[in-house]
Amino acid sequence: MTGFDSLEGFLDKWRERWPEWPMVERFLAPETQRRTLAWFALLQEFDDMLNVSGDPLPANAKLGWWSEELRGWDGQRSRHPLGRLLEPVRAPWQALAAALPDLVEARDTAADAGQARAALAGFAEAVAAIEAVLFESGADPRAGQAVVDQLLAQRALALGAAAVPSALGSEQAWLRVLLSQWPARVAGPRPRRLYAALARGRLQARLRGGTYQPSPAGLLWRGWWAARG
């Protein structure tokens, strides 16, 4: 396969969206870096299906396909290129497959911040459970909330005002809420903490009304802080 139908294509697509990643990736063990890229590339596919604008039917069809695909990973029957790196890990893929329909419901405009978080809680817990196995970090009861924080942040960055809960009124108000609820120390394994540090930086830049242009020194500081746990 070539282009975005190949394993390298999917990894490159994620790298293109997160060009700052190489600066923080150095805080990961070399043997985990490629698997981390594959996992985040997979999550990006789901982000795109959550944050769809326009006709949702193609995204819904993809979610259905992915649900079937993930169920096959327990039996080591992957068809997708990302499965080459992820499927060998004996993670709770079935639970993630079962949580994918939550993304359809979570597209609806939430009434408030609590409803926005609740809509993604089941999917986030499934993601956190896989990350505990994938990155050999052990279970952390706070990890699911860390995933919710990042999902909502990336949804706000992708959709702008369309992602704002009804009670908040404006994109700026919603961004302030998201940042106020973001803990100083993010829970979960090191790859998640590094990824969250980049997402937080982008969210802060949006709130300031500027373009996210981090310096190498700033990224290294963020990476070091996140890697410490």
Side-chain angles (χ1 to χ4, degrees):
M1 287 182 287
T2 59
F4 286 163
D5 291 328
S6 68
L7 173 59
E8 289 304 321
F10 279 99
L11 300 185
D12 286 344
K13 183 166 69 170
W14 190 82
R15 291 187 185 105
E16 288 172 9
R17 294 204 191 176
W18 297 90
E20 61 269 45
W21 178 254
M23 292 299 296
V24 302
E25 186 182 43
R26 66 191 66 196
F27 294 101
L28 299 178
E31 62 270 18
T32 69
Q33 290 178 3
R34 194 163 172 80
R35 181 184 295 171
T36 298
L37 284 175
W39 172 240
F40 289 157
L42 175 61
L43 292 184
Q44 178 175 280
E45 296 298 304
F46 298 146
D47 281 344
D48 288 347
M49 296 171 206
L50 168 64
N51 301 326
V52 65
S53 58
D55 184 4
L57 293 181
N60 292 350
K62 287 183 180 179
L63 281 173
W65 186 92
W66 269 111
S67 181
E68 181 182 348
E69 171 73 358
L70 290 170
R71 287 187 169 91
W73 286 13
D74 275 348
Q76 296 186 302
R77 297 188 303 274
S78 64
R79 295 170 291 172
H80 195 277
L82 293 172
R84 298 174 198 166
L85 293 179
L86 298 173
E87 174 220 74
V89 179
R90 300 295 84 202
W93 303 115
Q94 296 270 356
L96 181 59
L100 290 183
D102 292 356
L103 299 181
V104 177
E105 299 298 324
R107 293 181 196 142
D108 294 338
T109 300
D112 53 31
Q115 188 179 83
R117 298 182 71 84
L120 288 167
F123 174 76
E125 291 294 339
V127 167
I130 288 177
E131 291 185 349
V133 177
L134 196 64
F135 304 124
E136 300 177 351
S137 63
D140 185 330
R142 304 166 299 161
Q145 287 303 307
V147 176
V148 170
D149 289 337
Q150 190 165 347
L151 283 167
L152 291 175
Q154 291 175 197
R155 180 166 171 77
L157 292 172
L159 296 180
V164 177
S166 302
L168 273 299
S170 72
E171 181 181 351
Q172 290 293 96
W174 181 222
L175 297 181
R176 285 193 291 270
V177 168
L178 291 175
L179 283 172
S180 71
Q181 295 178 347
W182 205 298
R185 289 291 184 189
V186 172
R190 180 174 290 186
R192 167 60 58 183
R193 300 196 307 269
L194 293 169
Y195 191 14
L198 301 184
R200 181 186 175 94
R202 291 186 176 194
L203 197 65
Q204 289 170 323
R206 176 69 71 86
L207 185 58
R208 291 192 300 266
T211 302
Y212 186 49
Q213 295 178 322
S215 67
L219 285 172
L220 284 174
W221 187 90
R222 281 183 181 273
W224 173 81
W225 175 262
R228 287 181 61 204

